[in-house]
Every structure is written in structure tokens, then in C-alpha cells.
């Protein structure tokens, strides 16, 4: 059984191969969701919330029905967007700001996504049905993935109005 570090190395390599030369945001987001979900089946909700008109709007995701809109003042996603910092919550039931799109969520990580101009364009949100699923290995690798695929070049296809 590969450890978490090894799994992320595999995901990163597969993404580098599959997304080489790609610049369309929805294509990248959908592919990142797919490979994270494939390699981490316990991460039952994997997806992006897009910054749109000063709030977060659900973007490409895999999992149960996600909330459609999240104000920046609410949720762990809103906190990640406001603070521009990755949020790791070991027990969402003890976080008063948590929004429960699915009552099965027990822990969560939310990673801010910046474009090549260092503007916040989205957050990557991952939910687990287990407590304390996420740690610094998740944070470092997920930040590396979004940095590599969204911040190193001009993208097309994202709704910015
Ligand atoms: N739990 C998130 C909301 C999005 S659902 O998990 C998909 C939050 O508290 O912002």
C-alpha cells in the first residue's frame, strides 16, 4: 500500500503528462478532480469553487450535491478565500464556520488557487468522511498542484465577470 506522499507523487506525474500544453481552466480543474478522487477514494468530495462577483460559485467537482454559492464571509471555503491561506479542519463539526453541503463530511481541506497574476481565482475543496484525514503532506502537494497548473501561465476559459 503506497503512502500518501507516494500517491501524490503519482497524481502529480499523471497530471504533468495529461495536462501538458493545456490552458483551459475547466479542463484542468476537471482532470485534477478526477485524479485526486481516483487515487484517494475516501476523499468523497473534490472540487473547485470559483471567485465570481465577490463570492464563491461552485465549479467543476466530483461528489454529492455541492452548495452553489458561498459568500466570502461564510464557510471554510470563504475563510480560505479571505485569508488566501490553506485551511485544514480535522473536525468540521467543531468549526462554527463550516457549511455542511453533505452531513457525511468529518474533515476538510481548502486550498486557495491563484492565477499567473497572483489573483485569487478559486479554491480547491476536498472533504473526507473520516476525522483528521488531511495534514501537511496534503497541503504541500495540493498547493504544488494548483501552483503548477493555474499560476505558471495565462489561462483561458475562466469566468471572471
Ligand atoms: N464545507 C464547505 C462548503 C462546500 S461543501 O463542502 C462541497 C465550507 O464550509 O465552505
Amino acid at each position: 500500500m503506497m503512502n500518501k506522499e507516494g500517491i501524490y507523487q503519482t497524481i502529480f506525474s499523471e497530471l504533468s503528462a495529461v495536462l501538458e500544453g493545456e490552458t483551459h481552466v475547466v479542463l484542468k480543474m476537471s482532470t485534477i478532480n478526477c485524479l485526486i478522487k481516483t487515487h484517494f477514494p475516501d476523499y468523497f468530495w473534490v472540487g473547485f469553487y470559483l471567485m465570481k462577483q465577490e463570492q464563491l460559485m461552485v465549479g467543476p467537482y466530483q461528489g454529492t450535491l455541492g452548495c452553489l454559492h458561498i459568500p466570502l464571509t461564510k464557510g471554510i471555503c470563504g475563510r480560505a478565500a479571505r485569508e488566501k491561506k490553506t485551511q485544514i479542519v480535522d473536525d468540521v463539526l467543531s468549526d462554527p464556520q463550516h457549511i455542511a453541503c453533505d452531513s457525511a463530511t468529518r474533515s476538510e481541506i481548502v486550498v486557495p488557487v491563484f492565477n499567473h497574476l497572483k489573483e485569487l481565482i478559486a479554491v480547491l475543496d476536498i472533504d473526507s468522511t473520516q476525522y483528521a484525514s488531511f495534514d501537511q503532506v496534503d497541503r504541500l502537494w495540493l498547493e504544488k498542484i494548483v501552483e503548477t497548473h493555474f499560476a505558471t501561465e495565462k489561462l483561458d476559459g475562466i469566468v471572471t465577470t
Side-chain angles (χ1 to χ4, degrees):
M1 169 79 171
M2 213 186 302
N3 67 8
K4 189 184 276 191
E5 178 79 23
I7 293 172
Y8 273 116
Q9 283 173 351
T10 300
I11 292 173
F12 190 79
S13 303
E14 289 176 358
L15 284 173
S16 300
V18 169
L19 294 180
E20 185 176 359
E22 298 292 349
T23 58
H24 199 284
V25 173
V26 173
L27 178 152
K28 286 172 172 268
M29 290 180 170
S30 304
T31 305
I32 289 167
N33 292 339
C34 170
L35 290 180
I36 292 173
K37 196 94 170 52
T38 299
H39 288 286
F40 287 114
D42 284 353
Y43 294 178
F44 87 101
W45 201 96
V46 182
F48 291 84
Y49 277 87
L50 311 180
M51 271 304 289
K52 180 171 161 59
Q53 291 163 347
E54 295 303 306
Q55 66 168 338
L56 294 169
M57 173 188 81
V58 75
Y61 70 93
Q62 293 202 10
T64 53
L65 185 64
C67 312
L68 302 186
H69 301 279
I70 300 178
L72 294 187
T73 53
K74 294 197 183 321
I76 300 166
C77 292
R79 192 164 68 216
R82 282 197 315 276
E83 297 180 6
K84 295 186 169 62
K85 215 161 112 356
T86 296
Q87 307 291 314
I88 295 177
V89 181
D90 289 343
D91 173 6
V92 298
L93 304 178
S94 64
D95 187 321
Q97 288 187 321
H98 177 249
I99 298 171
C101 296
D102 188 311
S103 59
T105 300
R106 289 296 175 267
S107 59
E108 189 161 356
I109 185 169
V110 184
V111 180
V113 181
F114 303 97
N115 66 11
H116 66 297
L117 300 174
K118 299 198 184 336
E119 297 163 332
L120 184 86
I121 59 171
V123 297
L124 169 57
D125 178 22
I126 303 177
D127 292 25
S128 168
T129 56
Q130 308 301 312
Y131 290 105
S133 288
F134 306 103
D135 57 24
Q136 294 310 307
V137 174
D138 296 283
R139 179 181 68 78
L140 290 169
W141 277 102
L142 292 171
E143 288 177 355
K144 180 181 168 95
I145 287 168
V146 299
E147 157 76 20
T148 302
H149 294 290
F150 298 105
T152 54
E153 61 184 330
K154 188 166 173 8
L155 302 168
D156 56 45
I158 193 157
V159 178
T160 52
T161 52

